[in-house]
Amino acid sequence: MWFLPMLLWCFVICYVVLCIRDTYIQCFIVLTLFLLSIINIPFQISSSFYYIVFFYTGYKFWRLSKRIKISLTLSRVVYSWCLFGLLYVLLTGLNSFMLRYLNIDSCVGAILWKESYNIIKILYGFAGILALFFTAVYYTRIKTLPNIIVKVGEYCFGVYLFQQFILHGLYYNTHLPQIIGGYLPWIGFLITLTLSLLISILIKPFKWGRALI
């Protein structure tokens, strides 16, 4: 459940940052926090420093998309995926190169590598998110999503909340790992997804259930 406190801090940080009217100062603060994310701060604060870049950029992009209509074609969607693939290959290769030649046993070398690795992840992470976003927007503009997908989407947060408890129970409190062996990840995924959806559907009619998921 590390995601929940991290997300809470992102809301708090973004609220404080947005109180500042100057966009350049906002960006400076967000990037500074990102660079400080390599420091181990408890209560998922370090994680929030890393993910605040995505959170803040997503908010700004959402505001921009309300004023400007995004024009998408299939070729642009394909190009976005090609860009992601290219960046992923090049940047992960660069990371391997730095890991080989930087002296990460020294304090300076370790800091340089950690910061560089975070920057690399941010770059191809943004490219991947953009590709997924373009794909989703393009698809929903040319086709109507089936009702079953929309309905299941209403329970996604419930699946996220319950899946860890179910997986932990299956892995450590049953004989399922010994019984199915190497098929455990796939069988565990199907069982966990089914049970998480079922629990979410059962509690959704209640007021407290709707507040939870």
Side-chain angles (χ1 to χ4, degrees), residues 12 18 28 69:
V12 173
L18 291 174
F28 175 77
K69 184 176 177 61

Side-chain angles (χ1 to χ4, degrees), residues 116-135:
S116 301
Y117 182 52
N118 278 351
I119 292 171
I120 284 171
K121 289 191 297 180
I122 282 285
L123 290 175
Y124 70 66
F126 270 121
I129 292 171
L130 199 63
L132 283 170
F133 176 74
F134 282 174
T135 303

Side-chain angles (χ1 to χ4, degrees), residues 101-130:
Y101 291 101
L102 275 177
N103 181 17
I104 61 174
D105 292 329
S106 68
C107 181
V108 175
I111 291 174
L112 285 175
W113 177 75
K114 288 180 180 179
E115 294 289 9
S116 301
Y117 182 52
N118 278 351
I119 292 171
I120 284 171
K121 289 191 297 180
I122 282 285
L123 290 175
Y124 70 66
F126 270 121
I129 292 171
L130 199 63

Side-chain angles (χ1 to χ4, degrees), residues 4-205:
L4 295 180
M6 181 277 294
L7 187 59
L8 172 64
W9 285 117
C10 282
F11 274 104
V12 173
I13 294 170
C14 195
Y15 176 81
V16 173
V17 168
L18 291 174
C19 289
I20 302 170
R21 298 300 181 184
D22 193 312
T23 302
Y24 293 105
I25 296 178
Q26 292 177 4
C27 293
F28 175 77
I29 294 173
V30 168
L31 291 175
T32 301
L33 292 177
F34 166 73
L35 293 175
L36 294 174
S37 65
I38 63 170
I39 302 173
N40 187 21
I41 306 175
F43 307 113
Q44 298 302 330
I45 295 176
S46 297
S47 298
S48 67
F49 284 179
Y50 175 83
Y51 286 103
I52 191 62
V53 179
F54 294 101
F55 194 94
Y56 174 80
T57 306
Y59 172 79
K60 287 294 187 179
F61 192 80
W62 171 73
R63 291 288 301 270
L64 182 65
S65 66
K66 294 180 70 175
R67 300 195 303 268
I68 301 174
K69 184 176 177 61
I70 301 173
S71 177
L72 283 177
T73 61
L74 180 59
S75 60
R76 289 183 179 179
V77 174
V78 173
Y79 290 152
S80 67
W81 281 108
C82 291
L83 175 63
F84 166 67
L86 181 64
L87 284 176
Y88 182 81
V89 171
L90 291 177
L91 292 175
T92 51
L94 177 62
N95 178 63
S96 299
F97 176 83
M98 290 189 302
L99 189 59
R100 180 179 300 177
Y101 291 101
L102 275 177
N103 181 17
I104 61 174
D105 292 329
S106 68
C107 181
V108 175
I111 291 174
L112 285 175
W113 177 75
K114 288 180 180 179
E115 294 289 9
S116 301
Y117 182 52
N118 278 351
I119 292 171
I120 284 171
K121 289 191 297 180
I122 282 285
L123 290 175
Y124 70 66
F126 270 121
I129 292 171
L130 199 63
L132 283 170
F133 176 74
F134 282 174
T135 303
V137 171
Y138 177 77
Y139 183 85
T140 52
R141 282 181 181 175
I142 63 174
K143 289 188 178 182
T144 302
L145 287 176
N147 288 332
I148 183 64
I149 295 180
V150 176
K151 193 67 178 176
V152 169
E154 297 177 2
Y155 302 102
C156 284
F157 193 71
V159 172
Y160 167 75
L161 286 177
F162 301 126
Q163 53 87 23
Q164 179 64 32
F165 300 105
I166 297 172
L167 274 177
H168 191 277
L170 290 175
Y171 278 38
Y172 299 107
N173 297 292
T174 71
H175 296 292
L176 190 66
Q178 291 81 11
I179 295 173
I180 61 178
Y183 295 100
L184 180 62
W186 299 105
I187 302 299
F189 166 75
L190 292 175
I191 294 175
T192 302
L193 179 61
T194 303
L195 290 178
S196 298
L197 277 173
L198 182 60
I199 295 172
S200 301
I201 292 170
L202 289 175
I203 71 170
K204 190 68 178 287

